[in-house]
Amino acid sequence: MSVAALNEQIRNCRKCRLWQGATQAVPGEGPLDAKVMLVGQNPGAEEDRTGRPFVGRAGKFLNKTLVENGINREELFITNIVKHMTPGNRKPSADEIASCLPYLLEQIRIIKPKIIVLLGAAAKAAPRVEGIEYVEIVHPSAAMRFASMREKFRTQIAMLAKRLQQLS
Ligand code: URA
């Protein structure tokens, strides 16, 4: 399946209830030959407004930390476990995750990343595909809130930058 066709399916998805409270789906973005895929849990209000992943406060913090470590956001494919905003930014439920996972699996199949970086709670929900290296890191919203998490997040992004250099 092409990414355009997949995104169309995601935008029209009615498999769970989340579309009802959302303005639009947030399928994800990035180059189709990205070596690294970044996966968060669910879009928030700003992502819902723009249709793009990680563009709100957490996204800005993520971008800043990537830049500090010489990582270009445009090189990464960025998406979420569930593709619609959740009401009040609550945790997606097990059935919402189960409904949405085929989309993430198809994105993985198309992009074939070498590394998948799971942010925060995405680590619990993400399917593990054989042959792909998984890295679990602190979620940028936790990093913004707690100093200890911030330090950990920075260290983890620095380690990711090193790993990226080894890949290219
Ligand atoms: N937090 C996430 O997990 N995903 C987004 O797209 C934005 C914030």
Side-chain angles (χ1 to χ4, degrees):
M1 191 188 299
S2 71
V3 153
L6 178 61
N7 288 352
E8 191 59 18
Q9 277 193 12
I10 294 172
R11 292 198 178 99
N12 294 322
C13 186
R14 303 290 182 260
K15 287 198 285 176
C16 81
R17 61 192 82 73
L18 289 180
W19 69 274
Q20 294 173 353
T23 312
Q24 59 187 323
V26 182
E29 66 183 22
L32 302 189
D33 62 350
K35 292 189 180 127
V36 178
M37 183 184 271
L38 227 74
V39 184
Q41 185 165 252
N42 57 271
E46 196 56 20
E47 289 75 23
D48 178 69
R49 201 180 64 74
T50 57
R52 298 184 55 213
F54 283 98
V55 291
R57 284 187 65 225
K60 293 204 170 79
F61 185 72
L62 171 68
N63 292 349
K64 180 170 166 278
T65 313
L66 291 174
V67 168
E68 282 166 3
N69 286 281
I71 302 177
N72 183 0
R73 173 182 164 129
E74 276 77 55
E75 281 173 32
L76 314 175
F77 190 90
I78 306 182
T79 188
N80 284 291
I81 298 280
V82 304
K83 314 300 194 201
H84 280 102
M85 178 180 79
T86 57
N89 212 20
R90 66 158 169 74
K91 260 177 52 186
S93 66
D95 64 312
E96 290 159 356
I97 291 172
S99 304
C100 219
L101 277 188
Y103 299 129
L104 179 61
L105 281 169
E106 188 61 18
Q107 287 172 323
I108 295 171
R109 202 192 59 75
I110 294 169
I111 291 154
K112 300 184 181 61
K114 299 240 182 315
I115 300 177
I116 296 184
V117 180
L118 302 171
L119 302 173
K124 276 187 240 128
R128 302 303 196 266
V129 175
E130 231 189 286
I132 298 180
E133 184 180 328
Y134 284 83
V135 179
E136 301 178 10
I137 69 171
V138 169
H139 196 284
S141 31
M144 282 188 321
R145 240 172 288 147
F146 308 106
S148 63
M149 292 287 122
R150 195 147 54 240
E151 268 323 291
K152 197 166 171 192
F153 180 69
R154 288 202 171 114
T155 308
Q156 289 171 328
I157 295 287
M159 281 168 65
L160 180 66
K162 280 209 185 113
R163 189 71 195 85
L164 269 172
Q165 278 176 351
Q166 291 167 350
L167 285 183
S168 52

